[in-house]
Amino acid sequence: MILTIVAAVIVLGGLIFFHELGHFAVARCLGMGVTTFSLGFGPKLLKWRRGKTEYALSLVPLGGYVALVGESKDADLPEGFTREESFSLRPAWQRLLVVLAGPLANVLVAWWLCWALCLGWGQAILLPQVGSVVADSPAAAAGLQRGDLILRVNETDTPDWQRMADAIGASNGQPVTLSVLRPLPTASDELRAGLPETGEELRLTLTPKRAQRTTIFGEKEEAWLIGIGVSGNMRYEELNFGEAALAGARQTWGMVELTAESFLKLLQRVVPLDQVGGPIMIAQLVGEQAQQGLAGVLGLAALISINLAILNLLPVPVLDGGTALFCLIEIIFRRPVHEKVQEWGMRLGLALLVSLMLLATYNDIVRIITG
């Protein structure tokens, strides 16, 4: 329990802090005034002043906040600040940059974490290894067995599971020849479930069948399949500094695509609302990964960071995406959105956000009770 709490505070607090740091850094680069930059919320335990900005360490360590000068046009200017430093009086494009800097900071943090993972642990590659064989399937008829490593489909090398699946799918139902490395019969079940270093290479011919499979979102789709399940075994490819940066960028972009699609599927009701989770679920996931080791925590932190970025970019007033939308409208039409529209938008956005948080908390509690 202590490990879960500490890990969750570090991950969530750190990610939210970097989000606010993005807003702060761009605001200061553009010469906007910042009255307070706090690490944490609530009562201030420690504070100091540098220039006109007060920096604070607050009691609740989950994130932080940045108080910009003149966040609304009606706000009074704090003592020592000028109108030129007011956020609301700056051109829309400058306000847009400040608003987008928070989500961008979360994307950068995710990239750095993926970069560190690839550099320290290597790039994880899911092996094209048979974990299970479906009865009465083309794979069973051809003689594929658990533990077999598929080296090639026809003459196409298959260094990972995805490329193996793509090569089989590209057959369009035509016969394919698999080059398979089979572990020695004397190997134990544990060894045969892992990566075989030696064994017998076989060539098996089979014809994929058109069948349904379930996506990660629970949707049914048709594909050319041979009736095998993944083993889940991985190999790790060592990368140098530059290669790790590129691999980390590809992993980050994959997380962005997956997260954006997840939000879209949620809106389409493909993903049921009871799958929405909040801070309690995140804390549980972080705690589970913390018990497995640092690599799992870093990978999960990268995914959470991307989720924070995408969530904040939703065009909902109160979130960064809503403010960004108002700025874009002002840039396009060369006049700000009417204050009444912004006010009602903020109210609706706040109501939506509170409802979402209540739903997530309810789902978390139900999962704990029924789990």
Side-chain angles (χ1 to χ4, degrees):
M1 179 63 71
I2 294 176
L3 178 62
T4 296
I5 294 173
V6 171
V9 166
I10 292 174
V11 170
L12 287 175
L15 294 179
I16 299 173
F17 168 75
F18 275 105
H19 179 96
E20 297 300 331
L21 182 61
H23 292 312
F24 172 81
V26 174
R28 294 303 300 127
C29 286
L30 293 174
M32 297 181 190
V34 178
T35 59
T36 307
F37 184 100
S38 174
L39 176 58
F41 298 96
K44 297 173 183 176
L45 304 177
L46 180 65
K47 58 183 179 180
W48 66 98
R49 183 172 295 277
R50 182 175 179 182
K52 292 187 281 188
T53 302
E54 179 184 82
Y55 299 87
L57 179 65
S58 300
L59 180 62
V60 183
L62 292 177
Y65 65 91
V66 173
L68 298 175
V69 171
E71 291 191 25
S72 66
K73 291 183 178 180
D74 297 331
D76 295 330
L77 291 177
E79 184 178 352
F81 290 95
T82 64
R83 287 176 54 85
E84 287 73 20
E85 294 175 287
S86 175
F87 171 81
S88 60
L89 298 180
R90 286 301 184 92
W93 68 267
Q94 292 189 8
R95 286 182 274 127
L96 180 63
L97 290 180
V98 173
V99 168
L100 294 180
L104 178 60
N106 281 130
V107 175
L108 287 175
V109 168
W111 175 40
W112 295 336
L113 292 172
C114 290
W115 188 348
L117 279 168
C118 291
L119 189 61
W121 284 267
Q123 184 175 9
I125 298 173
L126 183 61
L127 292 174
Q129 186 178 37
V130 179
S132 60
V133 179
V134 177
D136 301 323
S137 65
L144 271 173
Q145 299 178 7
R146 175 175 173 265
D148 286 349
L149 186 69
I150 300 174
L151 304 176
R152 288 177 296 279
V153 176
N154 293 330
E155 299 305 319
T156 302
D157 290 335
T158 54
D160 57 64
W161 180 272
Q162 186 59 53
R163 275 182 275 192
M164 181 270 295
D166 290 343
I168 292 173
S171 70
N172 290 321
Q174 297 300 311
V176 295
T177 299
L178 307 183
S179 298
V180 176
L181 181 63
R182 175 165 296 170
L184 296 174
T186 55
S188 65
D189 286 342
E190 289 78 11
L191 177 60
R192 293 182 66 191
L195 174 62
E197 297 181 358
T198 60
E200 179 184 8
E201 185 168 335
L202 307 172
R203 290 177 67 84
L204 306 175
T205 300
L206 48 79
T207 302
K209 291 175 57 178
R210 193 74 169 170
Q212 280 193 340
R213 63 183 177 187
T214 304
T215 69
I216 60 173
F217 301 108
E219 294 178 292
K220 299 292 185 181
E221 66 176 12
E222 287 196 343
W224 294 105
L225 306 175
I226 62 174
I228 59 174
V230 64
S231 69
N233 290 314
M234 314 283 288
R235 69 179 174 86
Y236 293 87
E237 182 179 312
E238 290 189 10
L239 302 175
N240 60 35
F241 192 79
E243 292 171 338
L246 291 175
R250 287 193 295 269
Q251 290 181 9
T252 303
W253 180 248
M255 290 181 183
V256 170
E257 291 182 320
L258 178 62
T259 303
E261 188 175 3
S262 298
F263 277 102
L264 179 61
K265 296 296 183 182
L266 185 63
L267 291 174
Q268 294 173 341
R269 300 300 301 274
V270 173
V271 177
L273 290 176
D274 60 9
Q275 296 300 307
V276 176
I280 297 175
M281 186 183 74
I282 293 174
Q284 290 176 321
L285 293 174
V286 172
E288 291 172 3
Q289 292 301 319
Q291 295 177 16
Q292 301 299 320
L294 180 60
V297 175
L298 295 180
L300 180 59
L303 182 58
I304 296 172
S305 191
I306 292 297
N307 274 265
L308 284 174
I310 300 296
L311 176 64
N312 274 280
L313 284 175
L314 294 178
V316 177
V318 177
L319 297 177
D320 291 334
T323 306
L325 178 61
F326 289 148
C327 291
L328 285 172
I329 292 174
E330 183 175 342
I331 291 171
I332 294 171
F333 295 99
R334 298 187 179 181
R335 62 181 180 183
V337 177
H338 195 280
E339 291 184 3
K340 283 293 184 181
V341 175
Q342 294 192 45
E343 181 183 342
W344 278 104
M346 290 293 180
R347 290 179 180 179
L348 290 174
L350 181 59
L352 179 62
L353 189 61
V354 170
S355 299
L356 183 62
M357 289 301 298
L358 290 175
L359 172 65
T361 303
Y362 171 78
N363 288 341
D364 289 347
I365 293 173
V366 170
R367 272 190 287 266
I368 293 174
I369 294 174
T370 59

